[in-house]
């Protein structure tokens, strides 16, 4: 499995490398008020990708902080995991559908 993972990573790298080699021509990016920027297309694609990743992380940061605060405030459970397993094992098993009902899938 580890070999397949590295093989997949190598394939993605070579595809992206071929994309970069095929798009080395210069691109003209026109802004407002007559300002223009010239750079290789690969560089612009990389910058836009990185800006999107940074924007995504910044958009998720408040939610992450909120979850960390909620988790920090929550009190620790009083029971140990072994007590929970024993308590759950002593509960009766009740089917969610009556046993006399016909199967939904026809099997």
């Amino acid at each position: 499995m580890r070999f397949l993972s590295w093989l997949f990573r190598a394939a993605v790298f070579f595809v992206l490398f071929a994309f970069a080699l095929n798009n080395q021509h210069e691109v003209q990016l026109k802004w407002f008020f007559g300002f223009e920027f010239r750079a290789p297309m690969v560089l612009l694609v990389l910058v836009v990708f990185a800006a999107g990743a940074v924007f995504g992380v910044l958009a998720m940061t408040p939610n992450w902080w909120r979850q960390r605060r909620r988790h920090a405030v929550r009190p620790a459970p009083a029971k140990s995991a072994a007590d929970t397993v024993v308590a759950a094992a002593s509960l009766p098993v009740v089917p969610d559908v009556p046993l006399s009902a016909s199967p939904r899938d026809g099997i």
Side-chain angles (χ1 to χ4, degrees), residues 75-87:
K79 295 183 179 181
S80 67
D83 294 338
T84 306
V85 170
V86 170

Side-chain angles (χ1 to χ4, degrees), residues 16-27 39-43:
L16 293 176
F17 189 69
F19 173 78
L21 288 177
N22 287 331
N23 292 297
Q24 288 184 348
H25 59 281
E26 194 170 272
V27 173
M41 180 182 280
V42 172
L43 180 65

Side-chain angles (χ1 to χ4, degrees), residues 45-106:
V45 169
L46 179 64
V47 166
V48 169
F49 175 76
V54 167
F55 180 73
V57 167
L58 289 176
M60 289 294 295
T61 301
N63 192 18
W64 288 335
W65 286 346
R66 190 177 316 114
Q67 289 178 4
R68 286 177 59 96
R69 277 195 310 262
R70 285 182 187 165
H71 185 69
V73 172
R74 185 180 308 156
K79 295 183 179 181
S80 67
D83 294 338
T84 306
V85 170
V86 170
S90 65
L91 293 175
V93 178
V94 179
D96 56 348
V97 230
L99 295 176
S100 61
S102 61
R104 290 186 337 192
D105 300 331

